[in-house]
Amino acid sequence: GQSTVLFDMFSIAWYDYYDVPQALRLIERYAQHSASLSAAQREGRCCGYRDGTVPLSQTAVAEGASEGPAGGYDLVISQYALTELTDISILGYYTSVLKTAKRGQLLISCALIGERRKWLMDLIMQSHPDLSYADEFPKTGKQCASGEYGIEVVWGHNPHK
């Protein structure tokens, strides 16, 4: 649904979906019935379906390999995806997608807390020192046993311009 809204509102050159295989099949099925996405696919502006559970190899990550477009993505939107991945998968997603993204908005659930959350935030801040974050609001999930909620992370956005 989110991609349909974006295609209706903006001129998008390309749109990649990263998700688990089951969700990708649902997205493909939905896209077949969406006028916006069907038109984009006919025009060759959509869509890359990438299995987010398949990490880049450790060697590829160490060498800084990228699966994304040359020059990086203009915008990355991720709703809780990182909290479902192993550390090596997170590192691969960071290397291939987040590291070179000009702008980003992530929701990170309270499933990723403590040292893992700090590690991820430090990793993203290496490439995006303008990163800002705040507690997720409104709260879309329940509070974790640790007492934490999710956080919203944004970079590449200057509301004062």
Side-chain angles (χ1 to χ4, degrees):
Q2 184 175 28
S3 59
T4 301
V5 171
L6 293 172
F7 272 106
D8 286 344
M9 293 180 66
F10 302 102
S11 175
I12 295 175
W14 188 257
Y15 195 102
D16 278 332
Y17 298 95
Y18 280 82
D19 216 319
V20 296
Q22 301 85 340
L24 291 174
R25 287 193 296 274
L26 287 173
I27 293 167
E28 285 182 282
R29 188 171 179 176
Y30 175 80
Q32 294 170 354
H33 300 289
S34 163
S36 298
L37 294 180
S38 293
Q41 286 177 323
R42 283 192 305 274
E43 297 163 10
R45 296 184 294 127
C46 178
C47 297
Y49 297 97
R50 300 171 185 267
D51 184 347
T53 64
V54 178
L56 294 173
S57 70
Q58 290 186 6
T59 303
V61 169
E63 293 173 356
S66 176
E67 294 179 338
Y73 287 100
D74 291 323
L75 173 65
V76 171
I77 301 170
S78 181
Q79 312 300 340
Y80 300 121
L82 297 172
T83 58
E84 300 169 357
L85 300 176
T86 63
D87 288 353
I88 190 64
S89 295
I90 290 173
L91 191 55
Y93 185 74
Y94 165 77
T95 302
S96 63
V97 177
L98 300 179
K99 184 177 182 177
T100 60
K102 295 170 187 74
R103 289 175 292 285
Q105 185 265 336
L106 313 175
L107 287 178
I108 301 173
S109 81
C110 63
L112 191 67
I113 58 172
E115 288 302 311
R116 284 189 80 216
R117 183 182 282 182
K118 181 182 180 323
W119 168 74
L120 176 60
M121 297 296 286
D122 289 347
L123 192 64
I124 297 171
M125 287 181 88
Q126 289 175 16
S127 301
H128 305 292
D130 63 334
L131 177 143
S132 62
Y133 62 94
D135 287 339
E136 174 190 16
F137 185 82
K139 310 288 188 223
T140 58
K142 65 181 185 177
Q143 186 177 23
C144 286
S146 66
E148 296 184 65
Y149 284 98
I151 59 171
E152 181 174 15
V153 178
V154 178
W155 71 86
H157 171 69
N158 184 345
H160 304 293
K161 283 189 174 181

